[in-house]
Amino acid sequence: MSRIIALDVGDKTVGVAVSDELNLTAQGTETIFRTSLKKDIGRIAEIAKAKDAKKIIMGLPKNMNGTEGERSKIVRDFAEKTARALPQVEIDFWDERLSTVAAERVLIDADMSRKKRKKVVDKMAAVLILQGYLDSQRK
């Protein structure tokens, strides 16, 4: 079974999580600090190859009423460009409403300092996105 990658795409960073080999649990992998589209997608391609991932789940930031706004368009555009660069990898979306808020809460509960939280919150959001997706697939 191939692994699944989840991405929490932001303007400055991309949080990355990867499933275990059985697609049961999500682990935070890294936070990509964005430099250029080519380098960002290149790093995602490296991770996909190293983890033998055949699917990428991108968090889709919907509005609270379920509609898609400007931020969703940005993520869909990033997904389209990623799909062109990685035609062998399926790309899907997962509703990520409040995933960053939930990630912040988990890190605060773990008593992590604000400075440290800032470095890992996007990776933690990717973990929550992927775990939600994985859990939904088992039902």
Side-chain angles (χ1 to χ4, degrees):
M1 186 176 285
S2 63
R3 295 178 189 232
I4 300 171
I5 293 174
L7 303 177
D8 180 41
V9 180
D11 291 329
K12 296 179 182 178
T13 62
V14 177
V16 183
V18 179
S19 71
D20 65 331
E21 292 174 341
L22 298 175
N23 292 333
L24 297 173
T25 62
Q27 294 87 36
T29 304
E30 70 181 81
T31 300
I32 299 169
F33 292 91
R34 301 200 54 188
T35 54
S36 71
L37 186 62
K38 184 177 180 179
K39 286 182 181 178
D40 301 342
I41 293 175
R43 181 63 191 135
I44 293 165
E46 289 171 1
I47 295 167
K49 183 177 181 184
K51 300 296 184 181
D52 190 32
K54 302 291 185 236
K55 182 180 267 192
I56 295 175
I57 303 299
M58 290 199 189
L60 191 63
K62 292 185 177 181
N63 297 320
M64 291 311 290
N65 66 1
T67 62
E68 293 186 18
E70 188 59 35
R71 192 74 223 155
S72 291
K73 290 177 189 164
I74 292 168
V75 171
R76 286 192 182 277
D77 182 55
F78 186 84
E80 185 179 305
K81 290 173 179 156
T82 302
R84 274 192 244 130
L86 300 168
Q88 73 282 11
V89 177
E90 177 186 349
I91 296 182
D92 205 352
F93 299 96
W94 184 256
D95 183 353
E96 69 147 339
R97 278 180 274 190
L98 302 178
S99 64
T100 303
V101 173
E104 278 277 350
R105 198 168 297 131
V106 167
L107 296 172
I108 288 169
D109 289 348
D111 205 27
M112 187 175 282
S113 72
R114 182 182 305 267
K115 187 176 181 180
K116 288 181 182 176
R117 279 196 317 264
K118 190 173 183 181
K119 293 178 183 176
V120 299
V121 69
D122 298 310
K123 179 171 55 173
M124 178 60 77
V127 168
L128 294 174
I129 290 165
L130 182 54
Q131 194 62 57
Y133 175 82
L134 295 172
D135 291 346
S136 77
Q137 298 304 296
R138 285 196 298 272
K139 291 181 181 172

